[in-house]
């Protein structure tokens, strides 16, 4: 049973584009509430290869100075998919980028055609060599009307970051409206960009000639907050989450409440209180403000403890659910209807197993499964989990979990 207080970190998916946005200026960009996660380390190393000086103190990062470098280090870009986020700012700033296909979690096909379509709409030319994409706009970028066939989060962010320094007006239609897109827009606006409509599916950007330095606080991570709420609920615990943003968690809190988690909210706090009568609840992912795909795996473990049958449908990724066979070996009753849909029958008693974390969200789900399983579970490849959750072992331990990181 988890109990106590825990602080939620800054949003992974907000801090990564905000770090990339620092490439848009030579002046100092200070980001606060930066989580101590591996993806931030990898992104910082990428920025460092562009000559940026990076200083880290507690949970803030200061970035200054950028120069042109070709191509971007392949070993670094292969570490995380969000490395693609340097494309927009570098193109806007220097008119040329050479980059290999980005790495990242293997949860689906994850193409990058929307990034290129969007940048082409601003006048960029894209050439593919054997190993790299060469993206250039020798005469500079010019604003345009862009319709994204898929409302990709990082494609929206890339086009937005390229367009802030383009000549004239850009309109992005079918833009992603996630909370992290809004956070990036807020940062860019404070740097002097002219952006309207972030948070809706139509974003307009009026290009400016340069951007300046800024201090910006990264929004709290709504996925981490919900994941910790689920961990508290399945263990029957009571936990106070600090540094959260319940007001903007919309569908996430609605679904967790439907599922029977009892909690109250106050300013930046969410208090989860036992007891929980967990009930089967269907979820269907979509782009924000609908249920986020990144919460599908933690929601699955919640449903293994709920009474009844729930349908979990993730239309976005065809590889998200393959790890659920590991939960089945622990005693969960999950039937895969097809790669996008699972049926979960609960409640099930789980027992410990030796597991391997295949990706960030599935890995964190395994940690929660281990908390309620009888016996001691070992999870390998926790580096996946550390990409997005800061010191999760220490924080869960502070709530009473028996968890230990071994080398
Ligand atoms: N898509 C395209 N073409 C593109 C880009 C995307 O068709 O050029 C489609 C994909 O096939 C998929 C959907 O759009 O159906 C989402 O695409 P993608 O995986 O490219 O999303 P992303 O923008 O790279 C961000 C988050 C992900 C999150 C998705 C969806 C960041 C850094 N990453 O990725 O976060 O799952 O949006 O909300 O913001 C995570 O945090 O665990 C994570 C994977």
């Amino acid at each position: 049973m988890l109990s106590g207080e825990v602080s939620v970190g800054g949003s992974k998916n907000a801090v990564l584009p905000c770090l990339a946005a620092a490439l848009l200026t030579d002046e100092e960009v200070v980001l606060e509430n930066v989580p101590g996660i591996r993806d931030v380390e990898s992104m910082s190393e990428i920025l460092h290869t562009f000559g940026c000086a990076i200083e880290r103190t507690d949970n803030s990062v200061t970035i200054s100075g950028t120069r042109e470098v070709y191509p971007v280090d392949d070993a670094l870009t292969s570490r995380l998919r969000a490395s693609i986020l340097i494309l927009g700012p570098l193109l806007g700033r220097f008119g040329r980028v050479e980059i290999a296909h980005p790495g990242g979690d293997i949860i689906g096909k994850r193409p990058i055609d929307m990034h290129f379509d969007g940048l082409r709409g601003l006048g960029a030319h894209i050439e593919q060599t054997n190993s790299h994409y060469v993206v250039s706009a020798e005469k500079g970028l010019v604003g345009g009307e862009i319709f994204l066939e898929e409302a990709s989060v990082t494609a929206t962010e890339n086009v937005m970051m390229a367009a802030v320094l383009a000549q004239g007006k850009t309109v992005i239609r079918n833009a992603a409206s996630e909370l992290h897109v809004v956070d990036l827009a807020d940062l860019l606006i404070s740097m002097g960009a002219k952006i309207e409509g972030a948070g809706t599916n139509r974003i307009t950007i009026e290009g400016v000639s340069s951007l300046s330095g800024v201090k910006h606080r990264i929004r709290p991570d709504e996925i981490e907050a919900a994941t910790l709420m689920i961990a508290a609920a399945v263990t029957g615990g009571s936990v106070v989450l600090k540094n959260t943003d319940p007001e903007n968690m919309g569908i996430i809190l609605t679904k967790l409440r439907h599922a029977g988690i009892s909690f109250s909210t106050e300013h930046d706090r969410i208090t989860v209180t036992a007891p929980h009568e967990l009930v089967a609840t269907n979820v269907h992912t979509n782009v924000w403000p609908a249920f986020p795909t990144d919460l599908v795996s933690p929601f699955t473990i919640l449903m293994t403890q709920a009474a009844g049958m729930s349908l979990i449908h993730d239309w976005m990724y065809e590889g998200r659910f393959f790890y659920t066979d590991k939960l089945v070996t622990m005693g969960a009753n999950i039937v895969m209807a097809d790669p996008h849909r699972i049926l979960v029958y609960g409640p099930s008693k789980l027992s410990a197993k030796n597991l391997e974390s295949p990706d960030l969200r599935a890995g964190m789900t395994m940690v929660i499964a281990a908390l309620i399983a009888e016996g001691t579970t070992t999870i390998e490849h926790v580096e996946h989990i550390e990409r997005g959750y800061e010191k999760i072992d220490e924080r869960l331990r502070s709530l009473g979990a028996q968890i230990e990181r071994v080398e």
Side-chain angles (χ1 to χ4, degrees):
M1 185 190 293
L2 298 184
S3 76
E5 274 196 7
V6 66
S7 193
V8 171
S11 162
K12 169 179 88 71
N13 290 341
V15 72
L16 298 173
C18 288
L19 282 165
L23 293 168
L24 285 162
T25 178
D26 265 339
E27 293 182 22
E28 204 169 82
V29 172
V30 182
L31 301 177
E32 295 177 331
N33 199 32
V34 173
I37 54 176
R38 275 180 193 246
D39 273 8
V40 165
E41 276 171 32
S42 302
M43 201 65 174
S44 304
E45 280 183 52
I46 292 177
L47 296 194
H48 193 62
T49 65
F50 291 97
C52 295
I54 301 179
E55 211 178 292
R56 174 117 209 191
T57 48
D58 287 336
N59 59 358
S60 82
V61 171
T62 304
I63 308 129
S64 55
T66 311
R67 63 182 157 79
E68 286 181 77
V69 173
Y70 309 111
V72 185
D73 186 311
D74 293 357
L76 288 174
T77 47
S78 68
R79 276 203 218 155
L80 76 169
R81 180 167 167 87
S83 59
I84 193 75
L85 286 165
I86 59 174
L87 200 54
L90 289 176
L91 190 66
R93 194 82 201 280
F94 304 120
R96 184 182 164 88
V97 192
E98 277 182 43
I99 190 170
H101 197 84
D105 278 343
I106 302 171
I107 47 181
K109 282 196 290 290
R110 311 192 80 187
I112 51 173
D113 52 327
M114 282 311 104
H115 297 251
F116 293 147
D117 280 3
L119 296 175
R120 271 193 207 99
L122 301 177
H125 176 74
I126 289 119
E127 207 183 306
Q128 191 171 357
T129 67
N130 278 345
S131 54
H132 287 88
Y133 301 102
V134 182
V135 185
S136 57
E138 315 264 278
K139 294 186 187 129
L141 296 172
V142 180
E145 291 268 335
I146 288 153
F147 182 89
L148 293 177
E149 252 176 80
E150 292 276 348
S152 158
V153 167
T154 49
T156 302
E157 293 166 343
N158 250 334
V159 175
M160 201 158 71
M161 289 190 279
V164 289
L165 290 179
Q167 238 180 69
K169 182 174 164 181
T170 298
V171 180
I172 312 175
R173 290 175 203 274
N174 198 27
S177 59
E178 269 69 2
L179 300 169
H180 22 286
V181 175
V182 180
D183 206 28
L184 171 66
D186 288 346
L187 167 84
L188 294 170
I189 291 167
S190 317
M191 291 170 81
K194 292 188 179 154
I195 302 174
E196 279 176 17
T200 74
N201 64 2
R202 184 179 185 278
I203 301 178
T204 57
I205 303 134
E206 194 70 56
V208 295
S209 55
S210 65
L211 295 180
S212 49
V214 73
K215 189 187 258 194
H216 175 81
R217 187 171 173 82
I218 300 296
R219 57 161 287 102
D221 198 311
E222 68 281 3
I223 303 296
E224 179 173 295
T227 305
L228 290 168
M229 289 175 75
I230 290 170
V234 293
T235 60
S238 311
V239 170
V240 178
L241 304 177
K242 297 181 295 181
N243 186 33
T244 62
D245 180 19
E247 199 185 324
N248 286 305
M249 284 174 69
I251 187 72
I252 297 178
L253 293 186
T254 303
K255 282 291 180 186
L256 295 184
R257 205 180 284 287
H258 281 173
I261 299 186
S262 47
F263 62 89
S264 59
T265 63
E266 189 191 350
H267 308 299
D268 69 342
R269 281 178 179 237
I270 301 175
T271 305
V272 179
T273 43
H276 312 281
E277 276 182 45
L278 300 175
V279 284
T281 304
N282 296 342
V283 289
H284 170 75
T285 64
N286 215 326
V287 291
W288 190 258
F291 195 81
T293 173
D294 296 336
L295 202 53
V296 149
S297 296
F299 199 82
T300 301
I301 195 68
L302 179 67
M303 287 302 98
T304 67
Q305 302 309 301
M309 184 199 82
S310 48
L311 167 68
I312 303 184
H313 178 195
D314 185 359
W315 68 270
M316 198 176 279
Y317 295 122
E318 60 282 6
R320 243 323 166 215
F321 288 132
F322 290 127
Y323 84 96
T324 55
D325 60 351
K326 302 294 185 304
L327 299 182
V328 171
T329 65
M330 296 177 84
N333 189 354
I334 300 174
V335 176
M336 189 179 285
D338 65 47
H340 290 280
R341 262 174 287 241
I342 54 169
L343 296 169
V344 187
Y345 300 85
S348 299
K349 252 186 129 157
L350 302 186
S351 53
K353 278 278 173 308
N354 289 341
L355 306 170
E356 252 181 48
S357 164
D359 66 71
L360 163 65
R361 307 298 175 191
M364 188 58 209
T365 303
M366 288 174 174
V367 170
I368 302 175
L371 290 177
I372 49 175
E374 212 175 287
T376 304
T377 299
T378 306
I379 304 170
E380 309 269 355
H381 291 297
V382 293
E383 67 275 9
H384 290 296
I385 304 171
E386 291 169 346
R387 284 192 39 209
Y389 297 91
E390 177 176 351
K391 294 184 185 146
I392 197 64
D393 51 335
E394 272 182 35
R395 289 195 290 155
L396 288 175
R397 222 171 17 249
S398 76
L399 295 174
Q402 288 176 30
I403 177 170
E404 203 184 319
R405 194 188 191 292
V406 281
E407 288 305 326

